[in-house]
Amino acid sequence: MNPDVPAPPRRRRILPALVCAALCFASAVGFQVGADRARAADHGSSVLYLPNEHLLRHATAGLNTVIADILWLHCIQYIAIENREARNFTWLETMVLTTVRLDPHFKDAFRYGAMFLSALKADAEASTRLLCIGIPDNPRAWELSYELGMNYLMNRRNEPDARRYAAYYLGMSASTGLASEFVATVAARLQGESNLDSVEEDMWRNMLESPDKVLRELAERKLQEMQIREILPVLNQAAAEYHKLTGHWPETLDDLKRVKIVDKDPPDPLGGHYFFGPDGKALNTTLLDNEKKLQQGVLEQVVRDYQDKHDRWPDTLDALVKEGLLKAIPANPYPGQAWKYDPAAGTVE
Amino acid sequence: MRVLAVAGNTFREAVRDKVLYVLLFFAIIVILGSRALGWISVGQDLKIVKDFCLASMSVFGALIAIFVGTSLLYKEIDKKTLYTIISQPMHRYEFVLGKYFGLVALLALALGSMSALSTAYIFVLGGKLNLVFFQAALLNFWKLLVVTALAVLLSALTSPILGAIIVFCCFVFGHATGVFLDLPPQFNGTFTKHFFEVIYYCVPNLDNFNLHSEAANDIPVSLAYTAWALAYGTAYSAVLLIMACLAFEGKDL
Amino acid sequence: MAAIVTRALSKTYKVIGKAAVRSLRGLDLEIAENEVFGFVGRNGAGKTTTIKLLCGLIHPSSGGASLFGEDIRLREARRLVGYMPEQPYFYEYLTPRETLTFYGRLRGLSAAQRQAQWDRVAGLLELEDIADRRIRGFSKGMRQRVGFAVALVGDPPLLILDEPMSGLDPIGRRMIREAILRLRDEGKTIFFSSHVLSDVEELCDRIGMLVEGRLVHHGRVDELPGRRMKEVEVSAEGLDGAAAATLVARSAGHRQIDQVHLFRVADLENANALAAEILAAGGRIRELQPVRESLDDFFARIQQKEAAK
């Protein structure tokens, strides 16, 4: 008996174990490469993210989707509050972008985020940008290309090629085969019909069916605004008749009533009233207030940009044009009224 | 056989230590959390429920893996229960593997129950589940295999508290390995870029197992990807387990 | 074949940043089959280190050992040994029956074999009445019995027991002692450490003594070199007062209990002389008993000697 004779069994096992570990590790690296490729194949090319937002997603330890949910809910509350109050929606785009970067397949955040950006903040470009991030990652989500098409159709309709883009994206949406018949119908109607209003109306009516309260309210309001817009040409015609009759343009509805061209006030479900501009153009305070709010928001945003750059408020609004921040000061939608700018507070009235 | 005996005992210990109460917390968090948030959302109740289910599976599974895993071997050494076991005619690696598989069985039970609860809850809410949800749940479990292997390795080397801290950091950081590849373009062609690339392949990449976004939004994930990720998890766990066995083999108890 | 053979077995604990501790230095030991071997020494002398080495819990720094010819580093060696650690710890949430089943499975026993083992061991250690209670609530004595039971699972020919009787009440000690003797009669080899010398003296065929990691004595209990006869006690009766007074003057010590006189003299020579005088004085010898140095005294002397070196 000599216990020193057998080689220590521990030593004998270490080498094969290390070889095994090395092999497993090598295959792990190989599998990682495979997984990366497979994931790239699943999602197409990835969107170039801003580095800091990318870091945010990495730092969530797998909780990215839950954080995205919470952020999105916060975003919706923000929209509800802003919609009632300031209607500036300053942070809307940032919030939506962060949400979708945390959860790149959150198609409702893309869709409704884009809708809110264009319909509420009137920032059709931001809306387009958002959808352009979402579409490559979610090629099967018909809602996103549909929304992008509608965005061109409704909010960017004055741009050249808007109809062409709209038709392209609506076609893309229909081609996923997942969209409702409604989308295909709209895409087909775009070829023939010139009346985009009825297309828009159909879209909002479609949304009235939505199970969500915020969306239903939005659609309802948009339909009411469309009603008002449909009344305006009727009033314009009445004003022309009045002009023929009296030789001057009416100022209020009462002028028309007096000569019996109109017998009762046209309705404004949103509580505004109608009047006439100096050239006899019919106007509505609800629409003008909306427009004014939007323009005011744009102006104040640019004023804040100026302040960020120069660390002081601009002396006049013209300074913004001189600085190149604006091409021109947008006109106050109320005819004959000018913006009241307060250089001490940087606010526009 | 011996591995099974140790595994069975580890499983029984965890069950008798009431580790599975975590399922109760899971149910509470999922139901309360998704209910509380769901009512203000825009048609998103089901997405939020799915997100909560998957994220809670990941978090509670990781908690079990970290806290039970890092004390797995250490507790046996510390309480000297190991003395009578190692002096039995068995290899030490059989003990390590037994402990590991015991905990894995527990995790399988826990995650299986969580998946079943989630499925039932989502059906009750009137939702339906696609294959990708179960792919995500399976990959969640596979992620925990890697985390558990790391925890077992550390429990052979350090105290449970230090081990838990390290594994927790690895868990958080393991989801962020992508930063090593997403370098700003000015790094292109530099040594730093290659260095970070090497690191990317060395550290465990837990984001491979994160299909939460796809699962909650019903984006199909290819079976090829799932297979790669499963293979990756298996291989990486094997590396960590072999290292754990080696570390434990030479240890004086 | 010898049950345990160690050759220059040494263990040095190295902890980074601390001085190395040489727990065991060149232990050479041979223990025959069916022997009861007592391993004694103070706390920290290296008894537990030796036992852990033999059971494969730690790896020798140098030297080697074998059990029935199997290298201790091999799994096969551990099949031959049943080990009970000092203060055995078990999974608190198991019952003794489950514990023994678990260890039976680790030893690769079939269900029928496990049942047979349980019947044997439970009978020996009276486990039946606590079989299905969780160990969590057990007293020290109950735990010790379970520990012993675990060592017996699989019927190994060698039992290594670390302080099997420490902290037990007299009934518990007797149970362990009787179990050891019964196992010896069954042909087992038993190696146990203790610092309770009376147990060692009573149970062991041979003992080994460790001082600071070195084996300083090794041999039969009754043959330990240098274990001296301290004195001889002569007990007598039927002596009258005068004769007794003369004899008291001649002896090293004297006590009287009723009519019995106890004389102490230095050695057998003196004892014989004294006995002759007692008989001559008309007395009667009741008993003549050599008083040996107790093991405690013996070890204290050895330790002092070693410390002085």
Side-chain angles (χ1 to χ4, degrees):
Chain A
M1 195 295 323
N2 185 353
D4 294 324
V5 170
R10 205 154 58 80
R11 294 272 142 67
R12 267 188 289 155
R13 276 208 296 275
I14 285 179
L15 194 63
L18 282 178
V19 171
C20 256
L23 280 178
C24 287
F25 182 72
S27 38
V29 171
F31 295 143
Q32 175 69 63
V33 175
D36 285 348
R37 287 205 188 131
R39 189 163 246 194
D42 275 359
H43 298 327
S45 62
S46 99
V47 180
L48 184 67
Y49 290 156
L50 291 177
N52 55 347
E53 279 159 342
H54 214 164
L55 285 177
L56 178 67
R57 168 164 154 63
H58 286 313
T60 56
L63 296 178
N64 49 327
T65 52
V66 169
I67 297 175
D69 290 341
I70 293 170
L71 192 58
W72 176 239
L73 296 178
H74 190 58
C75 186
I76 295 194
Q77 281 176 310
Y78 173 78
I79 289 166
I81 293 168
E82 281 284 289
N83 203 15
R84 256 180 272 131
E85 289 162 13
R87 297 182 69 88
N88 281 333
F89 302 102
T90 318
W91 297 107
L92 181 58
E93 187 181 4
T94 317
M95 289 172 97
V96 178
L97 273 179
T98 312
T99 305
V100 298
R101 268 156 192 173
L102 284 170
D103 185 350
H105 300 295
F106 200 161
K107 58 181 179 233
D108 288 281
F110 278 115
R111 181 184 182 188
Y112 298 115
M115 185 184 290
F116 294 139
L117 277 172
S118 59
L120 295 175
K121 202 188 175 197
D123 193 344
E125 279 173 34
S127 172
T128 312
R129 275 200 300 277
L130 179 68
L131 290 168
C132 286
I133 292 174
I135 288 172
D137 256 358
N138 301 281
R140 282 162 47 84
W142 64 269
E143 297 96 332
L144 304 191
S145 34
Y146 164 71
E147 205 61 45
L148 186 53
M150 292 310 266
N151 187 24
Y152 272 107
L153 204 56
M154 289 162 13
N155 303 304
R156 308 182 74 165
R157 63 171 76 156
N158 299 327
E159 295 175 20
D161 290 335
R163 279 179 74 116
R164 205 160 56 79
Y165 282 127
Y168 172 72
Y169 284 116
L170 288 175
M172 184 196 266
S173 173
S175 71
T176 57
L178 300 166
S180 67
E181 241 175 81
F182 171 73
V183 178
T185 323
V186 173
R189 274 166 65 186
L190 264 188
Q191 312 298 325
E193 226 167 301
S194 58
N195 183 3
L196 295 179
D197 284 342
S198 71
V199 174
E200 181 178 355
E201 191 183 338
D202 279 356
M203 189 199 99
W204 294 123
R205 285 207 184 285
N206 201 37
M207 203 157 94
L208 269 184
E209 311 291 309
S210 157
D212 191 82
K213 196 161 144 269
V214 178
L215 289 182
R216 276 200 311 275
E217 282 173 4
L218 176 65
E220 213 165 305
R221 186 184 167 97
K222 285 287 168 186
L223 284 169
Q224 286 165 341
E225 286 177 10
M226 289 194 73
Q227 263 177 33
I228 298 171
R229 273 212 296 277
E230 277 164 23
I231 290 170
L232 292 180
V234 179
L235 288 180
N236 280 339
Q237 224 167 6
E241 268 180 56
Y242 181 89
H243 186 73
K244 234 186 267 168
L245 213 69
T246 61
H248 59 92
W249 295 105
E251 279 172 26
T252 63
L253 282 174
D254 293 339
D255 292 340
L256 296 182
K257 274 193 227 163
R258 222 175 295 119
V259 296
K260 303 274 195 267
I261 294 177
V262 169
D263 51 357
K264 64 174 179 21
D265 282 354
D268 180 345
L270 292 168
H273 64 271
Y274 298 86
F275 66 99
F276 294 93
D279 53 353
K281 205 164 171 255
L283 298 165
N284 175 277
T285 50
T286 307
L287 298 182
L288 290 180
D289 281 344
N290 274 354
E291 182 74 19
K292 193 176 131 190
K293 262 273 179 329
L294 291 176
Q295 300 292 6
Q296 188 183 336
V298 170
L299 276 173
E300 286 187 349
Q301 179 64 48
V302 178
V303 167
R304 274 195 294 276
D305 290 348
Y306 184 95
Q307 204 260 355
D308 281 347
K309 207 167 155 189
H310 298 279
D311 229 14
R312 65 182 170 81
W313 301 112
D315 297 329
T316 60
L317 289 178
D318 292 329
L320 301 174
V321 180
K322 272 187 219 131
E323 190 66 30
L325 293 168
L326 275 179
K327 283 200 191 99
I329 300 294
N332 191 318
Y334 281 93
Q337 287 188 24
W339 297 111
K340 278 192 214 114
Y341 170 66
D342 179 0
T347 53
V348 178
E349 271 295 319
Chain B
M1 173 68 187
R2 284 184 291 265
V3 175
L4 275 185
V6 176
N9 216 31
T10 308
F11 181 80
R12 181 156 50 179
E13 173 181 13
V15 170
R16 291 195 184 170
D17 278 351
K18 305 182 175 66
V19 171
L20 288 176
Y21 275 175
V22 83
L23 290 177
L24 208 63
F25 288 107
F26 170 80
I28 292 170
I29 292 267
V30 165
I31 293 172
L32 285 190
S34 54
R35 288 280 85 190
L37 292 177
W39 65 270
I40 35 171
S41 68
V42 181
Q44 286 304 303
D45 313 27
L46 279 170
K47 188 218 177 235
I48 287 174
V49 173
K50 288 180 194 170
D51 281 343
F52 261 85
C53 289
L54 288 169
S56 311
M57 277 186 220
S58 166
V59 168
F60 285 115
L63 286 181
I64 298 179
I66 291 174
F67 286 105
V68 182
T70 50
S71 61
L72 214 49
L73 296 178
Y74 187 88
K75 198 165 102 187
E76 301 265 344
I77 299 170
D78 197 43
K79 290 198 170 174
K80 299 180 180 165
T81 42
L82 198 69
Y83 284 10
T84 42
I85 295 172
I86 293 301
S87 60
Q88 301 297 324
M90 66 187 292
H91 296 293
R92 286 193 182 187
Y93 68 80
E94 290 174 320
F95 181 70
V96 177
L97 292 181
K99 288 305 253 184
Y100 175 74
F101 286 116
L103 182 49
V104 164
L106 178 81
L107 285 170
L109 176 66
L111 264 81
S113 322
M114 289 186 201
S115 304
L117 280 177
S118 310
T119 312
Y121 185 50
I122 289 168
F123 273 117
V124 166
L125 293 182
K128 57 182 194 315
L129 287 173
N130 291 346
L131 176 67
V132 62
F133 184 83
F134 298 103
Q135 281 175 304
L138 179 67
L139 286 192
N140 244 344
F141 174 61
W142 231 256
K143 168 168 82 181
L144 296 179
L145 294 191
V146 180
V147 175
T148 308
L150 183 65
V152 169
L153 169 61
L154 282 165
S155 91
L157 296 174
T158 66
S159 74
I161 293 179
L162 182 60
I165 292 172
I166 295 174
V167 181
F168 182 76
C169 291
C170 287
F171 180 76
V172 173
F173 192 70
H175 284 95
T177 55
V179 291
F180 289 128
L181 286 192
D182 291 328
L183 294 176
Q186 57 262 42
F187 283 100
N188 281 346
T190 61
F191 170 74
T192 321
K193 186 164 174 74
H194 295 301
F195 178 70
F196 278 132
E197 245 165 44
V198 170
I199 292 195
Y200 172 75
Y201 287 110
C202 288
V203 292
N205 183 348
L206 300 182
D207 216 38
N208 281 343
F209 307 107
N210 183 354
L211 293 184
H212 299 180
S213 175
E214 286 84 347
N217 296 302
D218 285 338
I219 309 290
V221 172
S222 65
L223 291 179
Y225 175 76
T226 317
W228 282 115
L230 292 178
Y232 174 79
T234 313
Y236 212 100
S237 306
V239 174
L240 293 169
L241 274 182
I242 292 173
M243 281 161 65
C245 290
L246 285 177
F248 195 64
E249 197 70 38
K251 209 173 173 71
D252 283 337
L253 302 170
Chain C
M1 183 184 285
I4 301 178
V5 179
T6 71
R7 291 277 178 265
L9 190 64
S10 305
K11 179 66 191 175
T12 306
Y13 287 104
K14 287 177 193 143
V15 179
I16 299 164
K18 286 185 194 156
V21 180
R22 299 183 65 188
S23 268
L24 192 64
R25 313 178 194 202
L27 178 70
D28 286 307
L29 202 60
E30 204 154 318
I31 293 162
E33 238 171 298
N34 199 15
E35 186 176 353
V36 179
F37 188 88
F39 207 44
V40 293
R42 295 163 65 174
N43 293 335
K47 292 177 304 210
T48 299
T49 302
T50 311
I51 287 176
K52 282 182 173 181
L53 281 166
L54 292 177
C55 295
L57 295 175
I58 55 180
H59 305 291
S61 308
S62 66
S66 63
L67 308 177
F68 298 99
E70 301 279 0
D71 190 297
I72 50 163
R73 287 166 299 197
L74 296 175
R75 194 164 63 117
E76 286 68 35
R78 292 200 286 280
R79 192 179 298 285
L80 305 168
V81 59
Y83 165 56
M84 173 167 88
E86 185 182 0
Q87 295 178 341
Y89 292 90
F90 301 102
Y91 295 117
E92 304 270 304
Y93 49 87
L94 295 182
T95 66
R97 197 190 296 278
E98 287 168 335
T99 305
L100 261 70
T101 305
F102 173 59
Y103 285 96
R105 289 182 71 190
L106 290 186
R107 283 199 170 249
L109 303 181
S110 69
Q113 286 171 317
R114 291 201 294 266
Q115 186 55 45
Q117 289 292 316
W118 167 261
D119 292 340
R120 182 179 73 94
V121 168
L124 188 65
L125 293 165
E126 299 168 24
L127 291 179
E128 284 295 353
D129 49 333
I130 54 169
D132 297 309
R133 284 163 52 188
R134 293 207 181 163
I135 293 179
R136 198 183 299 279
F138 277 17
S139 71
K140 170 98 183 145
M142 290 155 137
R143 280 163 196 263
Q144 206 82 358
R145 266 147 73 194
V146 178
F148 205 158
V150 164
L152 295 177
V153 171
D155 210 6
L158 170 65
L159 292 167
I160 296 182
L161 316 172
D162 197 355
E163 303 280 1
M165 280 172 272
S166 75
L168 292 184
D169 62 9
I171 296 170
R173 301 168 90 90
R174 210 191 64 194
M175 184 183 287
I176 301 280
R177 204 156 51 220
E178 282 172 1
I180 289 176
L181 291 174
R182 232 170 100 185
L183 290 163
R184 184 190 62 187
D185 296 342
E186 287 174 17
K188 310 279 187 228
T189 311
I190 295 154
F191 177 101
F192 77 93
S193 74
S194 179
H195 49 240
V196 182
L197 296 165
S198 62
D199 296 332
V200 178
E201 198 164 16
E202 190 178 341
L203 286 171
C204 294
D205 302 322
R206 291 197 306 150
I207 62 167
M209 184 190 180
L210 277 181
V211 175
E212 289 175 7
R214 254 189 276 272
L215 187 70
V216 292
H217 273 288
H218 172 206
R220 290 182 66 87
V221 177
D222 49 2
E223 278 179 358
L224 278 176
R227 190 175 172 209
R228 298 177 299 208
M229 191 188 293
K230 262 165 77 178
E231 51 198 9
V232 181
E233 199 172 65
V234 182
S235 151
E237 58 185 5
L239 290 171
D240 59 23
T246 340
L247 292 170
V248 167
R250 292 209 37 206
S251 61
H254 169 258
R255 273 190 303 152
Q256 185 173 3
I257 304 161
D258 297 333
Q259 292 305 309
V260 179
H261 295 267
L262 295 169
F263 302 98
R264 282 181 285 125
V265 291
D267 49 30
L268 275 175
E269 204 109 324
N270 287 323
N272 278 318
L274 188 72
E277 283 181 44
I278 291 169
L279 293 173
R284 209 159 56 81
I285 303 290
R286 289 183 75 230
E287 205 174 12
L288 196 147
Q289 188 182 24
V291 179
R292 284 182 187 275
E293 181 182 38
S294 77
L295 269 175
D296 294 276
D297 292 340
F298 171 68
F299 288 125
R301 190 158 57 81
I302 299 278
Q303 300 244 330
Q304 277 164 5
K305 212 166 79 190
E306 287 295 320
K309 269 190 199 168

